[in-house]
Amino acid sequence: RFMNTIIYYRKSTDRDDKQANSLEHQLNNCKTTAGRFWLEIKHELGESRSAKTEFTREKFNEMIKLCKTGKIDYIVADEPKRLSRNNIDTSRIIDLMDKWCIKWVITTNREYYTEHSRDKFFLQFDLSLSKMDNEDRAKDITAKMLTCLKKGQWVWKAPDGYKNITIRKGHKDVIIDESRAKFIRRMFDLRCAWYSIPKICDVLFKEWFTNKNGTKVSFEVMKRKLENKFYIWIMVWNGE
């Protein structure tokens, strides 16, 4: 056995149009790094999952399990943030080092040696910075969303009867989706005529108004549509 290595690479979304080249780029970087240290690559584990929540990444959990067997010497990742963005998964990596399950954690720009307590501290610090960066970005996004709402711009998925469009990069809008809007108008007309919600579901289903998967709209979903204040141009966010 000679320097058995796991390469772990990750992008935070499973949408193919988001970070399309990220996984391939990370894998190439990791292989270059492994080659620099003459490491023998035993496993290449890649996935498209967020690292914000613990125990949710199948390939990461597989990596931890493999390392616990004692048959893996090194973990190679492109950047520390690819390994973890939450405290629990960070502690799982540090625990592998504390128990000498692995010898190094290696990234493109830095090596963290298990035998050096300072390196373990810096790895934990770098992973904590990833978590902090994630939280700071979330706050920044929330603030920008609130600014858009105050300008009268809708920032989420458009409700039934409307659709989202992109005017230009970074600028989106909501317009009427006529193929669905006629049913929404009909829904409110029926309610104004004192039809019960179950009756509205039945009538609209007979008129070919269904969920996107072709099934009948349920009582709960129809009730939420009728109570959605967006249809009277009131935008509600966090109870405001």
Side-chain angles (χ1 to χ4, degrees), residues 86-98:
N86 70 80
N87 291 332
I88 300 299
D89 285 341
T90 294
S91 67
R92 294 169 74 190
I93 295 170
I94 300 301
D95 184 60
L96 292 175
M97 302 176 81
D98 286 341

Side-chain angles (χ1 to χ4, degrees), residues 146 149-150 154 156 229 234-240:
L146 182 57
L149 283 170
K150 288 180 178 180
W154 191 246
W156 294 285
K229 293 185 179 180
I234 295 177
M235 294 187 288
V236 180
W237 185 60
N238 280 352
E240 299 180 9

Side-chain angles (χ1 to χ4, degrees), residues 44-144:
E44 296 175 5
L45 303 178
E47 59 190 337
S48 301
R49 295 296 299 268
S50 171
K52 292 187 294 184
T53 307
E54 62 274 10
F55 301 112
T56 58
R57 291 177 287 156
E58 180 183 348
K59 296 299 182 181
F60 179 85
N61 292 335
E62 182 181 346
M63 178 187 73
I64 297 294
K65 186 176 180 179
L66 286 168
C67 289
K68 286 182 176 179
T69 65
K71 297 179 180 179
I72 300 297
D73 297 305
Y74 305 100
I75 294 174
V76 177
D78 189 34
E79 300 173 274
K81 67 180 181 181
R82 299 301 174 185
L83 291 170
S84 175
R85 284 184 180 272
N86 70 80
N87 291 332
I88 300 299
D89 285 341
T90 294
S91 67
R92 294 169 74 190
I93 295 170
I94 300 301
D95 184 60
L96 292 175
M97 302 176 81
D98 286 341
K99 294 177 178 178
W100 286 88
C101 294
I102 56 174
K103 296 177 181 177
W104 288 3
V105 173
I106 305 173
T107 65
T108 304
N109 297 315
R110 180 164 185 169
E111 303 85 50
Y112 305 90
Y113 297 85
T114 294
E115 62 184 8
H116 296 161
S117 59
R118 181 171 295 183
D119 278 355
K120 287 190 287 186
F121 168 79
F122 279 120
L123 176 58
Q124 189 164 12
F125 180 75
D126 288 341
L127 293 173
S128 296
L129 283 179
S130 298
K131 180 178 185 295
M132 185 179 72
D133 174 66
N134 202 67
E135 292 174 348
D136 287 345
R137 268 194 293 149
K139 290 179 181 178
D140 184 51
I141 291 171
T142 299
K144 289 179 179 178

Side-chain angles (χ1 to χ4, degrees), residues 191-207:
R191 191 58 174 161
C192 289
W194 298 100
Y195 278 64
S196 66
I197 295 177
K199 185 65 175 177
I200 294 173
C201 293
D202 292 338
V203 171
L204 291 181
F205 185 63
K206 291 177 181 177
E207 296 178 2

